Amino acid sequence: GSQAVEEATEACRRNDWQHWNLLDTLAAAYAEIGDFQQAVKHQEQALAATNVSAESRKELEHRLALYQAGMPYRELPKP
């Protein structure tokens, strides 16, 4: 969790906080360690990006709702 936050923060920094997918990853990392305030903040930044497809926007909004409810995002294992 903490290492994921560090690595995602560094990736966002290197890309001038401009890539929505990196912000989404950072939000998920914060949620994983229980910092839902930061998770919501970064997920909202990801949603504010202008180049998010409609399909991706739905996924980002779903994760934002999880973070607002105090729940982390977890992917299901692929069969």
Side-chain angles (χ1 to χ4, degrees):
S2 296
Q3 184 174 353
V5 169
E6 288 177 33
E7 291 178 14
T9 299
E10 182 59 26
C12 287
R13 229 183 262 132
R14 278 192 236 147
N15 290 281
D16 295 322
W17 303 88
Q18 298 300 311
H19 294 274
W20 66 266
N21 56 335
L22 296 175
L23 291 162
D24 176 53
T25 299
L26 180 58
Y30 271 116
E32 189 62 34
I33 64 168
D35 189 340
F36 295 103
Q37 183 176 6
Q38 287 297 312
V40 167
K41 173 187 167 182
H42 292 294
Q43 196 67 19
E44 287 175 341
Q45 288 175 327
L47 276 162
T50 58
N51 61 340
V52 179
S53 70
E55 183 179 332
S56 294
R57 184 167 300 282
K58 281 179 71 173
E59 292 176 24
L60 294 175
E61 289 170 347
H62 170 73
R63 289 195 277 276
L64 176 61
L66 287 174
Y67 305 152
Q68 290 170 330
M71 299 170 58
Y73 169 73
R74 303 236 171 92
E75 289 185 2
L76 297 175
K78 307 260 188 224

